[in-house]
């Protein structure tokens, strides 16, 4: 589970609702004081939320980017459906296209920089493969070419089984009981618990199954005339880093490895991660 440094947005950002033709999505909207020259749309990963990008908002806004970080359908403050079929990847991809269409005040340069972390990267890929026209670039952050590592597949199955038997509160207590000692006193427990309790369990079950069965669509993505950035930490237990290296090679993508980070460079090394994103986006 990602651990944002805070759930309080910086002064440059405001919490808002992005209204689309497919429903309302909770967002953090960061706007540069001097006006934006480009717009970025950020999609969180499995069990995550828009707050996973909160430490990136200020440095990205200072670099001139208007940034919207979103809760997907059934994540945290965006209402869920309660049915697993509502969360098939094709539906979530359509949500992303609706979100892009609903972004107001896109700069005259046109197009949106789309970024997805982990599960969000695979949803972003599906959206781009359906219609790449709204986007100037795609960044896959700690998001691999196909299904997650077998050990992570086992964890996803265990979580899905638990969600089918117990309440969200009961599952939360079980997960916390298994936390390593170093995570016991981080001070973010109540924020993380509140976020967990507002997730739709149907979303977690459906997307956990997606992560465990995702096909390799790298060749499809490589066929698009869209700049791609593959960024990750130097270690990753969800998709091995050499697999991410190979995916970047197959895509002809820019490749960035953030030293000192693991599966969530956005929370572990936000300054370095923001700098890598700014460099890529400015170069597009």
């Amino acid at each position: 589970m990602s651990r944002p440094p805070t759930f309080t947005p910086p002064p440059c950002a405001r919490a808002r609702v992005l209204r689309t033709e497919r429903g309302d999505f909770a967002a953090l909207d960061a706007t540069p004081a001097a006006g934006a020259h480009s717009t970025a749309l950020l999609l969180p990963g499995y069990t995550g939320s828009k707050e996973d990008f909160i430490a990136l908002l200020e440095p990205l806004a200072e670099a001139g980017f208007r940034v919207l970080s979103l809760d997907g359908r059934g994540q945290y403050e965006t209402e869920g459906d309660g049915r697993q079929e509502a969360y098939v990847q094709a539906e979530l991809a359509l949500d992303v296209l609706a979100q892009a269409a609903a972004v107001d005040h896109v700069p005259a340069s046109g197009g949106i920089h789309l970024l997805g972390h982990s599960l969000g990267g695979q949803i972003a890929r599906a959206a781009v493969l359906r219609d790449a026209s709204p986007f100037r670039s795609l960044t896959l952050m700690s998001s691999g070419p196909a299904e997650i590592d077998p050990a992570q597949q086992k964890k996803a199955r265990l979580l899905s089984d638990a969600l089918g038997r117990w309440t969200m509160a009961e599952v939360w207590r079980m997960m916390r009981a298994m936390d390593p000692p170093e995570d016991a006193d981080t001070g973010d427990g109540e924020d993380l618990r509140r976020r967990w309790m507002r997730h739709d369990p149907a979303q977690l079950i459906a997307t956990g199954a997606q992560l465990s069965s995702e096909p390799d669509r790298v060749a499809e993505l490589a066929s698009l005339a869209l700049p791609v950035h593959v960024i990750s930490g130097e270690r990753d237990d969800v998709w091995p880093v050499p697999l991410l290296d190979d995916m970047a090679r197959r895509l002809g993508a820019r490749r960035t490895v953030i030293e000192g980070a693991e599966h969530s460079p956005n929370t572990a090394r936000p300054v370095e991660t923001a700098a890598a994103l700014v460099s890529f986006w400015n170069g597009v």
Side-chain angles (χ1 to χ4, degrees):
M1 179 178 292
S2 59
R3 290 178 176 268
T6 178
F7 275 65
T8 302
C12 65
R14 64 185 177 100
R16 59 166 291 195
V17 173
L18 182 66
R19 303 193 185 280
T20 82
E21 63 178 15
R22 289 179 60 83
D24 296 345
F25 294 86
L28 295 176
D29 190 342
T31 305
H37 58 68
S38 297
T39 298
L41 196 64
L42 313 184
L43 313 180
Y46 187 57
T47 77
S49 69
K50 59 190 179 301
E51 285 73 19
D52 291 347
F53 302 111
I54 211 161
L56 299 180
L57 298 180
E58 192 163 48
L60 292 179
E62 288 176 350
F65 293 92
R66 190 267 185 100
V67 183
L68 284 97
S69 174
L70 296 169
D71 289 337
R73 185 179 302 276
Q75 289 182 316
Y76 191 26
E77 294 180 321
T78 295
E79 186 177 352
D81 184 277
R83 300 173 301 117
Q84 290 184 43
E85 53 266 34
Y87 300 108
V88 297
Q89 191 183 79
E91 292 296 320
L92 299 179
L94 287 172
D95 284 349
V96 175
L97 294 173
Q99 292 158 5
V103 174
D104 54 346
H105 308 304
V106 175
S109 55
I112 293 170
H113 297 292
L114 181 62
L115 179 152
H117 173 239
S118 194
L119 169 71
Q122 296 196 333
I123 295 169
R125 180 175 71 177
V128 164
L129 289 174
R130 192 176 188 96
D131 182 6
S133 63
F135 305 110
R136 294 183 68 188
S137 73
L138 172 65
T139 296
L140 302 174
M141 179 182 287
S142 305
S143 186
E147 75 278 0
I148 55 179
D149 183 81
Q152 297 297 323
Q153 293 181 39
K154 182 178 179 180
K155 289 182 179 181
R157 286 194 299 271
L158 288 172
L159 179 57
S160 294
D161 290 345
L163 291 170
R165 298 178 60 187
W166 293 293
T167 66
M168 291 289 282
E170 290 169 330
V171 174
W172 174 258
R173 288 194 291 270
M174 294 176 201
M175 293 193 301
R176 295 288 68 81
M178 294 186 288
D179 275 350
E182 60 269 23
D183 288 346
D185 299 313
T186 56
D188 58 2
E190 184 51 38
D191 286 330
L192 293 174
R193 180 185 181 278
R194 184 174 62 252
R195 177 173 70 175
W196 169 262
M197 292 297 296
R198 294 189 66 174
H199 271 67
D200 183 353
Q203 188 266 355
L204 294 169
I205 293 170
T207 55
Q210 287 174 35
L211 285 167
S212 299
S213 60
E214 177 75 1
D216 189 318
R217 305 186 70 185
V218 173
E220 292 177 70
L221 184 59
S223 70
L224 301 180
L226 186 70
V228 180
H229 186 193
V230 175
I231 184 170
S232 74
E234 60 183 344
R235 294 175 299 279
D236 198 307
D237 61 357
V238 183
W239 287 278
V241 168
L243 194 65
L244 300 174
D245 294 338
D246 181 65
M247 180 179 71
R249 179 190 59 77
R250 293 168 61 198
L251 289 169
R254 175 179 289 203
R255 178 73 174 106
T256 301
V257 176
I258 303 298
E259 293 185 7
E262 297 187 18
H263 187 60
S264 297
N266 43 310
T267 59
R269 295 289 186 272
V271 173
E272 296 85 348
T273 301
L277 295 174
V278 168
S279 175
F280 172 63
W281 290 340
N282 281 339
V284 170

